[in-house]
Amino acid sequence: MDARSRHLLSRRIGVVQVLVLAGLAFLVCFYGWLQIVRHGEFEKQALSQAVKERALPAPRGIIFDRNGDPLADNRRALHLVIQREDLPADPTVVTDLATALGLDPAETARKIRSFRQAPKGRPLVLMENLDEGGIALAERVRARYPFLSVQVAPRRVYLGDDLAGHVMGYVSEVDDQMMAKDPGRYQLGEIVGRAGYEDSGDAKLKGVDGEKRVLVDQLGREVASLDRTDPKPGKSLYLTLDAGLQRTAKDAFGDEKGAAVVLDLRDGGVLAMYSSPGYDPNLFLDRLSQEMVDRYLRNPVRPMLNRATQGIYAPGSTWKLLMALAGLEHHVITPHTVFYCGGHKSFYGHDFRCDATHGSLDLIGAIAKSCDIYFYEVASRLDIDQIYETAAKYGLTVPTGIDLPSERASRVPSREWKRRVKKEKWYAGETISVGIGQGAVGLTPLAIARFYALLATQGKEFTPHLFFGFQDPKTGQREPEPAPPTRQVDTANPEWWGVLHEGMAHVVESGTAATNPFVRQVAKEVPFSGKTGTSQVTTFVDKAHYAQLAKHLKDNSLFAGYAPTDKPQIAFAVVVENAGFGSEAAAPIAAKLIQYWFVDRIKHPLPPPGGRVPDAFHLEPGEED
Amino acid sequence: MLRRLRAADGRLLLLILALLFMGTLTLYSAGRGTSQSNLWMKQTAWNAAGLLLMTLMASVDPTRLFRKSLLIYAVGILSLVAVLLIGHRIGGAKRWLAIGSQTFQPSELMKWVTLLFVAHRLGTRPMDRVEGRDLLGAAAIVVFPMLLVLKQPDLGMALSFTPILLLLPLMKGLRKRTLALMLVMLPVIGVVAWKKVLRPYQKDRVRIFLDPERDPQGKGYQITQSRIAIGAGGILGKGFTGGSQTQLNYLPVKTTDFVFAVWAEERGFLGVLIALGLYGALLLRLLEGARAAKTLAESYYCTGAAGIFAMHIFVNVGMVAGALPNKGIALPFFSYGGSSTLSVFLALGVVMGALHRARIR
């Protein structure tokens, strides 16, 4: 290379050197700007996309019966979920995804849209309670849509199946209506009690959800857990219900419709409450299928109705005890007043009939033989408002206050009631029908049971209740809570109780209930007292429906009372719809309940509900899911 | 053999080994926990083969290579034509030739071959006797393979041919008039390129470069995530395998085009300084070789090599930080890739040969 070339080259390479150094200097400045000046901003972005909050759903409290056998427990369930930040926006993705999972695309799109306002951390549940096939499908679809994840969550299981559906109720995701009715109370996607004790005891049973912060990768998969606040499980508690007695009631009803309530005379605790037909709350945990809606919610038989607290039945002759008290308190009869029953009698120009021609009867005989004429005579001497006043005094005009949602108040007519509801004045002739528990009178089986508990205890008015106390699910340690207070209702003359008790004892010994051999057989072992009733079907379900349903419009059969006769421990009411005389259907069911409670329970107790043990979900701290 | 090894330039070798060490660590971290977890081992094998090739090449007299450069260039052009005819297609681009199960990217080597040929052609004339005709001929030699590469299409690769053109003003010097003309022509070339040459996805990349946050989940995603990784690294970095952007896969194509963001996240600004410092030292050593070279052709070759390396480093490191448009271009010693690794070491071997002959230490 010649010297001139070398000289030229050297100068020009010098320029290249300067360019290279300038380029490097530019890069250093640019990186310094990103890594030093703007470091904080990028650090925050890196964290916010990698660290996510996830809700840890708290298991609900376990519900035990009075003997410590679980009625409602939790087990692990797997749900296919999408975290809120991963909700797909592209409608074709949503459609493909729904199709791949076998879901309705329009419904899925609606769900995703409405979930965008959901609180942080709570995922959208696409498919609930995956079974093995569901898990396999979910894993397959997840390969294509990695934003899907499978969440472990506690899920309710009702061990008795349809043993006490109406009492237990069920839980499910809060719906739009509930959200709208009580804004701010619920969070979207929250699991809440929707019926029965799950609803009324929701505050006790519900735990506090935990939360964890996790590292997620670019596909939204959890890579590591940073920290967590463990969920606080809801309080476990036990009810006054006895699963064995409940089973007896359910079995006794078979295919009949109606309700039975048994109350504990020590504190008003509900020992059994069965409404027939029953339902299995396990079927109501997920979104309801059309078939379920048709079968349960649109069924004219109304299986979801708790007939014990929401069914209004004409009490028929079980009402006669209230009429006796009304007559005594308003001094139109004494315990020794005798009326003559000629089989029929005319009041206000109408002919009223009795089942038989009883001849001369005093109050005890009239109760024992259930003479209608005697109580027509009592009613004809009373004003409807006097009857209402006595009914109000003995607690029949208000709801019982049981800790179950949507209890209906019984209906006892008065002048004011008729004016308000029917916009008409009261006719004295109407009072005569009320005398035998027909006409406008309508009581819930629970109200009847509470009235008979009051009769048995000489005026104790209980607040029927299901909640007994809290129970530690692991140690079984119990903390009973005080029962709701009782009220003493005093009559003008305590001797009257004796007369009424004698009348009710005669009903079983030799009166209207004694016609049934099974009733006689049980009464021999456990003497009990009560009153039969046979009432015409009234307004409980409208008549048009009934005409379609029932081929023959038989009367409702009722029996209410207490046992044992001497030192009463339980009171009960049984209503069997369209089953004829009280002694034919209702009294034998009551007898079965008495037989179980006082005889079989000790000798051969029924096995615990379901008899199967769930793999219980007791979240341990630090357990990874 | 030992004597042959002694031909390698010690300072260059040390710089290369330091950069390789950093690159291998980064590749290990980037592939960790993914399907590419053993990529660093594969790359190490390539590197080992490359180092061997380089030292062998260092002992070869460059003059012997220059003499055969026309033949080598012709074979290179044929291989590029072969790519267009029977090339292996990956993701919409035909860039690879398949030999058995192994794929090879001829364009990686071709830029060095082109450099070799151009350096040889121009090196035969003393500098003050170079004429415009020679420069036009040299430009044609560079532009022909560039067009073939653009056809694949591979804009990034075509771009890495352009430093060879830098040799031309080096030969002739730049007059102020020519400089002014170039400044006027630049926008014209830009508009023509935008309208006629660039494909829609390439235009998208330019648009995203201008405003990466406009479409953060779409095409701007890569740059946005890469900038987060770099920025989150701060001054000292997150430590080895300690970066969330890398380890949680937010960072895209992290073993090839965006591998430097992994380094920046883990080692911070300090690591970036060290890496750029090493690259700078390497570039300066190449230019030192250019100054000291025995022949003009060797000098041209060293300068061109420095230019090509600088292009790769500036475009890749700048692109990763969002300072330059998102262009797929490998970072020597960091990015995974067999063809590019072998090509880089071969090119460095030639430089080492020139340094050896110049006997500078």
Side-chain angles (χ1 to χ4, degrees), chain B residues 9 12 24 58 72 74 86 111 116 137 139 178 183 200-201 236 250-251 259 261 277 299 320-321 328 343 346 350 352:
Chain B
D9 180 57
L12 212 45
T24 308
I72 301 173
I86 55 160
K111 56 193 168 210
L116 191 77
T178 329
L183 282 178
Y201 79 94
L236 295 175
Y250 290 99
L251 191 66
V259 67
S299 178
V320 162
S343 308
L346 272 174
V350 177
M352 281 188 173

mmCIF file of all heavy atoms in Angstrom, chain B residues 9 12 24 58 72 74 86 111 116 137 139 178 183 200-201 236 250-251 259 261 277 299 320-321 328 343 346 350 352:
data_model
loop_
_atom_site.group_PDB
_atom_site.id
_atom_site.type_symbol
_atom_site.label_atom_id
_atom_site.label_comp_id
_atom_site.label_asym_id
_atom_site.label_seq_id
_atom_site.Cartn_x
_atom_site.Cartn_y
_atom_site.Cartn_z
ATOM 1 N N ASP B 9 -5.887 -13.225 16.896
ATOM 2 C CA ASP B 9 -5.582 -11.982 17.592
ATOM 3 C C ASP B 9 -6.059 -12.074 19.041
ATOM 4 O O ASP B 9 -7.245 -12.288 19.298
ATOM 5 C CB ASP B 9 -6.288 -10.824 16.879
ATOM 6 C CG ASP B 9 -5.999 -9.512 17.550
ATOM 7 O OD1 ASP B 9 -4.809 -9.165 17.673
ATOM 8 O OD2 ASP B 9 -6.959 -8.853 17.966
ATOM 9 N N LEU B 12 -8.766 -9.385 20.316
ATOM 10 C CA LEU B 12 -10.077 -9.644 19.711
ATOM 11 C C LEU B 12 -10.707 -10.889 20.330
ATOM 12 O O LEU B 12 -11.900 -10.899 20.672
ATOM 13 C CB LEU B 12 -9.889 -9.826 18.196
ATOM 14 C CG LEU B 12 -11.031 -9.373 17.301
ATOM 15 C CD1 LEU B 12 -11.550 -8.004 17.722
ATOM 16 C CD2 LEU B 12 -10.585 -9.342 15.852
ATOM 17 N N THR B 24 -24.239 -16.307 26.362
ATOM 18 C CA THR B 24 -24.674 -17.653 26.727
ATOM 19 C C THR B 24 -25.501 -17.634 28.006
ATOM 20 O O THR B 24 -26.543 -18.299 28.107
ATOM 21 C CB THR B 24 -23.442 -18.563 26.898
ATOM 22 O OG1 THR B 24 -22.630 -18.454 25.727
ATOM 23 C CG2 THR B 24 -23.869 -20.000 27.101
ATOM 24 N N ALA B 58 -7.883 -17.505 10.642
ATOM 25 C CA ALA B 58 -6.887 -16.492 10.983
ATOM 26 C C ALA B 58 -5.517 -16.822 10.408
ATOM 27 O O ALA B 58 -4.711 -15.935 10.113
ATOM 28 C CB ALA B 58 -6.811 -16.339 12.500
ATOM 29 N N ILE B 72 -16.312 -17.396 -5.167
ATOM 30 C CA ILE B 72 -17.137 -17.512 -3.949
ATOM 31 C C ILE B 72 -18.409 -16.676 -4.101
ATOM 32 O O ILE B 72 -19.513 -17.109 -3.759
ATOM 33 C CB ILE B 72 -16.333 -17.052 -2.717
ATOM 34 C CG1 ILE B 72 -15.070 -17.919 -2.568
ATOM 35 C CG2 ILE B 72 -17.181 -17.130 -1.456
ATOM 36 C CD1 ILE B 72 -14.133 -17.436 -1.475
ATOM 37 N N ALA B 74 -19.928 -15.823 -6.864
ATOM 38 C CA ALA B 74 -20.832 -16.456 -7.831
ATOM 39 C C ALA B 74 -21.615 -17.587 -7.162
ATOM 40 O O ALA B 74 -22.837 -17.718 -7.342
ATOM 41 C CB ALA B 74 -20.031 -16.982 -9.022
ATOM 42 N N ILE B 86 -36.112 -22.990 -4.436
ATOM 43 C CA ILE B 86 -36.443 -24.200 -3.667
ATOM 44 C C ILE B 86 -36.296 -23.972 -2.170
ATOM 45 O O ILE B 86 -36.119 -24.910 -1.401
ATOM 46 C CB ILE B 86 -35.525 -25.383 -4.106
ATOM 47 C CG1 ILE B 86 -34.044 -24.955 -3.979
ATOM 48 C CG2 ILE B 86 -35.840 -25.842 -5.524
ATOM 49 C CD1 ILE B 86 -33.083 -26.127 -3.899
ATOM 50 N N LYS B 111 -23.455 -11.652 2.920
ATOM 51 C CA LYS B 111 -23.010 -10.266 3.076
ATOM 52 C C LYS B 111 -21.491 -10.205 3.252
ATOM 53 O O LYS B 111 -20.830 -9.291 2.752
ATOM 54 C CB LYS B 111 -23.735 -9.568 4.221
ATOM 55 C CG LYS B 111 -23.626 -10.232 5.551
ATOM 56 C CD LYS B 111 -24.648 -9.612 6.508
ATOM 57 C CE LYS B 111 -24.731 -10.476 7.746
ATOM 58 N NZ LYS B 111 -26.036 -10.469 8.384
ATOM 59 N N LEU B 116 -16.163 -9.340 0.800
ATOM 60 C CA LEU B 116 -14.875 -9.886 0.347
ATOM 61 C C LEU B 116 -14.620 -9.520 -1.112
ATOM 62 O O LEU B 116 -13.544 -9.037 -1.500
ATOM 63 C CB LEU B 116 -14.889 -11.406 0.522
ATOM 64 C CG LEU B 116 -13.567 -12.145 0.359
ATOM 65 C CD1 LEU B 116 -12.717 -11.952 1.615
ATOM 66 C CD2 LEU B 116 -13.810 -13.625 0.111
ATOM 67 N N GLY B 137 -19.633 -0.013 -10.368
ATOM 68 C CA GLY B 137 -19.506 -1.473 -10.462
ATOM 69 C C GLY B 137 -19.601 -2.103 -9.089
ATOM 70 O O GLY B 137 -20.323 -3.092 -8.893
ATOM 71 N N ALA B 139 -21.017 -0.836 -6.417
ATOM 72 C CA ALA B 139 -22.395 -0.689 -5.916
ATOM 73 C C ALA B 139 -23.285 -1.776 -6.496
ATOM 74 O O ALA B 139 -24.108 -2.379 -5.784
ATOM 75 C CB ALA B 139 -22.926 0.693 -6.258
ATOM 76 N N THR B 178 -21.623 16.337 -2.918
ATOM 77 C CA THR B 178 -22.186 14.973 -2.883
ATOM 78 C C THR B 178 -23.017 14.778 -1.619
ATOM 79 O O THR B 178 -24.110 14.207 -1.646
ATOM 80 C CB THR B 178 -21.038 13.946 -2.883
ATOM 81 O OG1 THR B 178 -19.940 14.478 -3.604
ATOM 82 C CG2 THR B 178 -21.499 12.645 -3.459
ATOM 83 N N LEU B 183 -28.342 14.245 0.978
ATOM 84 C CA LEU B 183 -29.354 14.714 1.920
ATOM 85 C C LEU B 183 -30.671 14.993 1.203
ATOM 86 O O LEU B 183 -31.747 14.782 1.751
ATOM 87 C CB LEU B 183 -28.866 15.981 2.639
ATOM 88 C CG LEU B 183 -27.853 15.723 3.760
ATOM 89 C CD1 LEU B 183 -27.385 17.042 4.376
ATOM 90 C CD2 LEU B 183 -28.457 14.825 4.842
ATOM 91 N N PRO B 200 -46.733 -4.391 3.510
ATOM 92 C CA PRO B 200 -47.613 -3.842 4.560
ATOM 93 C C PRO B 200 -47.087 -4.113 5.975
ATOM 94 O O PRO B 200 -47.120 -3.225 6.830
ATOM 95 C CB PRO B 200 -48.933 -4.570 4.319
ATOM 96 C CG PRO B 200 -48.917 -4.912 2.870
ATOM 97 C CD PRO B 200 -47.475 -5.134 2.509
ATOM 98 N N TYR B 201 -46.578 -5.327 6.231
ATOM 99 C CA TYR B 201 -46.137 -5.606 7.610
ATOM 100 C C TYR B 201 -44.916 -4.781 7.971
ATOM 101 O O TYR B 201 -44.712 -4.405 9.119
ATOM 102 C CB TYR B 201 -45.887 -7.112 7.810
ATOM 103 C CG TYR B 201 -44.576 -7.649 7.277
ATOM 104 C CD1 TYR B 201 -43.462 -7.745 8.119
ATOM 105 C CD2 TYR B 201 -44.441 -8.075 5.962
ATOM 106 C CE1 TYR B 201 -42.265 -8.240 7.650
ATOM 107 C CE2 TYR B 201 -43.247 -8.568 5.485
ATOM 108 C CZ TYR B 201 -42.151 -8.655 6.328
ATOM 109 O OH TYR B 201 -40.981 -9.153 5.866
ATOM 110 N N LEU B 236 -29.096 -1.513 38.270
ATOM 111 C CA LEU B 236 -28.326 -2.719 38.586
ATOM 112 C C LEU B 236 -28.936 -3.996 38.034
ATOM 113 O O LEU B 236 -28.314 -5.049 38.063
ATOM 114 C CB LEU B 236 -28.164 -2.841 40.100
ATOM 115 C CG LEU B 236 -27.335 -1.721 40.734
ATOM 116 C CD1 LEU B 236 -27.336 -1.842 42.254
ATOM 117 C CD2 LEU B 236 -25.897 -1.749 40.197
ATOM 118 N N TYR B 250 -43.461 -12.511 29.120
ATOM 119 C CA TYR B 250 -44.076 -11.324 28.533
ATOM 120 C C TYR B 250 -43.227 -10.826 27.367
ATOM 121 O O TYR B 250 -43.734 -10.253 26.420
ATOM 122 C CB TYR B 250 -44.234 -10.211 29.577
ATOM 123 C CG TYR B 250 -45.278 -10.543 30.602
ATOM 124 C CD1 TYR B 250 -44.928 -11.043 31.842
ATOM 125 C CD2 TYR B 250 -46.629 -10.401 30.307
ATOM 126 C CE1 TYR B 250 -45.885 -11.385 32.778
ATOM 127 C CE2 TYR B 250 -47.593 -10.737 31.225
ATOM 128 C CZ TYR B 250 -47.223 -11.227 32.461
ATOM 129 O OH TYR B 250 -48.176 -11.564 33.369
ATOM 130 N N LEU B 251 -41.922 -11.056 27.480
ATOM 131 C CA LEU B 251 -40.994 -10.615 26.443
ATOM 132 C C LEU B 251 -41.063 -11.569 25.255
ATOM 133 O O LEU B 251 -40.917 -12.766 25.417
ATOM 134 C CB LEU B 251 -39.573 -10.594 27.027
ATOM 135 C CG LEU B 251 -38.527 -9.926 26.169
ATOM 136 C CD1 LEU B 251 -38.810 -8.448 26.044
ATOM 137 C CD2 LEU B 251 -37.158 -10.135 26.782
ATOM 138 N N VAL B 259 -33.171 -10.657 22.478
ATOM 139 C CA VAL B 259 -32.347 -11.238 23.533
ATOM 140 C C VAL B 259 -31.639 -10.156 24.352
ATOM 141 O O VAL B 259 -31.410 -10.320 25.557
ATOM 142 C CB VAL B 259 -31.335 -12.241 22.927
ATOM 143 C CG1 VAL B 259 -30.318 -11.522 22.070
ATOM 144 C CG2 VAL B 259 -30.661 -13.059 24.008
ATOM 145 N N ALA B 261 -32.851 -7.429 25.422
ATOM 146 C CA ALA B 261 -33.746 -6.935 26.473
ATOM 147 C C ALA B 261 -33.631 -7.817 27.720
ATOM 148 O O ALA B 261 -33.772 -7.342 28.849
ATOM 149 C CB ALA B 261 -35.184 -6.900 25.970
ATOM 150 N N GLY B 277 -19.729 -1.333 25.790
ATOM 151 C CA GLY B 277 -18.296 -1.059 25.880
ATOM 152 C C GLY B 277 -17.484 -2.127 25.169
ATOM 153 O O GLY B 277 -16.555 -1.824 24.399
ATOM 154 N N SER B 299 -7.648 -3.795 4.181
ATOM 155 C CA SER B 299 -8.129 -2.627 4.910
ATOM 156 C C SER B 299 -9.612 -2.385 4.641
ATOM 157 O O SER B 299 -10.403 -2.157 5.560
ATOM 158 C CB SER B 299 -7.312 -1.407 4.488
ATOM 159 O OG SER B 299 -7.802 -0.260 5.162
ATOM 160 N N VAL B 320 -34.606 -2.929 20.029
ATOM 161 C CA VAL B 320 -35.099 -3.534 21.261
ATOM 162 C C VAL B 320 -35.582 -2.453 22.235
ATOM 163 O O VAL B 320 -36.568 -2.634 22.952
ATOM 164 C CB VAL B 320 -33.974 -4.396 21.884
ATOM 165 C CG1 VAL B 320 -34.252 -4.689 23.331
ATOM 166 C CG2 VAL B 320 -33.795 -5.662 21.095
ATOM 167 N N ALA B 321 -34.938 -1.305 22.222
ATOM 168 C CA ALA B 321 -35.323 -0.230 23.129
ATOM 169 C C ALA B 321 -36.372 0.689 22.521
ATOM 170 O O ALA B 321 -36.818 1.627 23.165
ATOM 171 C CB ALA B 321 -34.089 0.594 23.506
ATOM 172 N N GLY B 328 -36.243 -7.415 12.312
ATOM 173 C CA GLY B 328 -35.648 -8.694 12.701
ATOM 174 C C GLY B 328 -34.193 -8.745 12.268
ATOM 175 O O GLY B 328 -33.886 -8.932 11.106
ATOM 176 N N SER B 343 -21.168 -17.527 10.241
ATOM 177 C CA SER B 343 -20.786 -16.449 9.329
ATOM 178 C C SER B 343 -19.960 -15.399 10.050
ATOM 179 O O SER B 343 -18.929 -14.943 9.558
ATOM 180 C CB SER B 343 -22.029 -15.781 8.739
ATOM 181 O OG SER B 343 -22.882 -16.750 8.194
ATOM 182 N N LEU B 346 -16.481 -16.700 10.750
ATOM 183 C CA LEU B 346 -15.697 -16.765 9.518
ATOM 184 C C LEU B 346 -15.182 -15.366 9.170
ATOM 185 O O LEU B 346 -14.006 -15.180 8.857
ATOM 186 C CB LEU B 346 -16.560 -17.294 8.378
ATOM 187 C CG LEU B 346 -16.589 -18.823 8.233
ATOM 188 C CD1 LEU B 346 -17.588 -19.238 7.169
ATOM 189 C CD2 LEU B 346 -15.196 -19.345 7.892
ATOM 190 N N VAL B 350 -11.235 -13.852 8.971
ATOM 191 C CA VAL B 350 -10.570 -13.127 7.890
ATOM 192 C C VAL B 350 -9.890 -11.876 8.445
ATOM 193 O O VAL B 350 -8.735 -11.579 8.118
ATOM 194 C CB VAL B 350 -11.587 -12.752 6.786
ATOM 195 C CG1 VAL B 350 -10.909 -11.922 5.699
ATOM 196 C CG2 VAL B 350 -12.197 -14.013 6.189
ATOM 197 N N MET B 352 -8.883 -11.449 11.475
ATOM 198 C CA MET B 352 -7.722 -11.881 12.252
ATOM 199 C C MET B 352 -6.530 -12.203 11.350
ATOM 200 O O MET B 352 -5.370 -11.937 11.698
ATOM 201 C CB MET B 352 -8.075 -13.096 13.100
ATOM 202 C CG MET B 352 -8.842 -12.709 14.346
ATOM 203 S SD MET B 352 -9.048 -14.114 15.433
ATOM 204 C CE MET B 352 -9.765 -13.321 16.851
#
